[in-house]
Amino acid sequence: MSKTQRPAPADLTQSWPNVSSQDVAGETARLRAINLLRSITRSDMTIPGGDIAGIDEGTIRNILKGAKWPA
């Protein structure tokens, strides 16, 4: 039996991350992405510098663009 794959967070809103999602999990992912971007901006950290926090640069980019679900 194959597992049904959930749509990416960005697919659950009309304009990621500017428009809220009617999907509760999608909205949570959107808010986390916004908070992540704010944290990066406030700390003057660059996205490639995220690996210092133990998060892969590709993962950060995918969360910010709504292509991956944040953990």
Side-chain angles (χ1 to χ4, degrees):
M1 180 180 248
S2 65
K3 184 177 179 182
T4 303
Q5 190 170 7
R6 184 174 173 94
D11 295 336
L12 300 173
T13 183
Q14 293 179 349
S15 179
W16 179 269
N18 302 317
V19 176
S20 62
S21 175
Q22 296 299 315
D23 181 89
V24 175
E27 181 62 5
T28 300
R30 186 184 77 84
L31 294 174
R32 285 188 178 191
I34 289 170
N35 287 334
L36 175 59
L37 182 58
R38 285 181 184 159
S39 294
I40 290 169
T41 304
R42 286 184 188 146
S43 68
D44 292 327
M45 181 179 11
T46 60
I47 293 174
D51 61 346
I52 295 170
I55 303 171
D56 177 71
E57 174 186 347
T59 300
I60 292 172
R61 289 186 188 281
N62 283 329
I63 290 170
L64 292 176
K65 68 181 180 181
K68 180 174 175 76
W69 288 92

